[in-house]
Amino acid sequence: MNSTTLWWILNSIFIVVFDVVFFLLINPISDVQWVGFAFLHVSYVLAVFFANYLRNKRTDVVLGYPVIYLSVVYFIASFILTLAVVIFEFASVKVTFVLYFILLGIYLFVLFSNLLMNKHTEEQMATERKNISFVKENIAILEQFKSTSVAKKYNKKIEEVIELLRYGQIISNPNTADLEYSIRQQIMGLVSTTSEEELLQKLTSIEGLIRQREIKIKSIVTN
């Protein structure tokens, strides 16, 4: 028996036990109690589904807690409300339905709004990691290039380029993608330099491209 089958069997135990006890203890079942019974099952199905769907998303949070816990809280709230319906014998089907429906609406709104915000946060973090890697990787290539014999005379110039990258704009923008690609290609092309004159030209060109990127990003941020 595989783990998926065991997972569904485990999650079916509660609802089977509850149903048996419910039908044995409550007879006849009123319309209000049927509403509570139905919504409790809805909450349980949603809790099990999202627990399975979100079990690898522990980094997605609601008020500092994993978003997966929200479905458990919703199910517990539905369970408590169902017990209240049964024990206190609510008289109005309409009021009972409205209470459950409001609870369901709040749960779904909080769940999906937080999933959306967490997705947006993940995209921002991925962009930041990409931007930081652009700077770090280019600096690493330049640092390594500094140790070559052809670069020794122009180490100060290389340091100036490194400083421009290190203290420049970390953020990026789709409009600067071409510039970043050109910067990367020219930095990687330094290893094929055969003369000091060619090296100076390439370093000056790289410096100019970095400054262009700085100006372009600042203008985008300002606007």
Side-chain angles (χ1 to χ4, degrees), residues 1-10:
M1 195 176 293
N2 58 40
S3 58
T4 304
T5 303
L6 289 172
W7 165 263
W8 287 108
I9 291 174
L10 180 65

Side-chain angles (χ1 to χ4, degrees), residues 22-29:
F22 184 85
F23 285 109
L24 287 176
L25 294 181
I26 302 174
N27 189 25
I29 302 172

Side-chain angles (χ1 to χ4, degrees), residues 13 15 28 30 44-45 48 55 58 63 72 85 90 98 109 159 162 177 183 190 213:
I13 291 173
I15 208 68
S30 66
Y44 191 75
V45 169
V48 170
R55 58 181 159 180
R58 295 277 178 174
L63 300 176
V72 177
V85 167
F90 286 16
V98 167
F109 176 80
E159 279 294 339
I162 290 173
I183 292 168
L190 289 173
R213 177 179 178 270

Side-chain angles (χ1 to χ4, degrees), residues 40 43 73-88 90 100 103:
L40 179 64
S43 70
V73 171
Y74 167 60
F75 168 71
I76 292 171
S78 295
F79 182 70
I80 293 171
L81 183 56
T82 301
L83 289 180
V85 167
V86 172
I87 294 169
F88 298 107
F90 286 16
Y100 277 105
L103 184 62

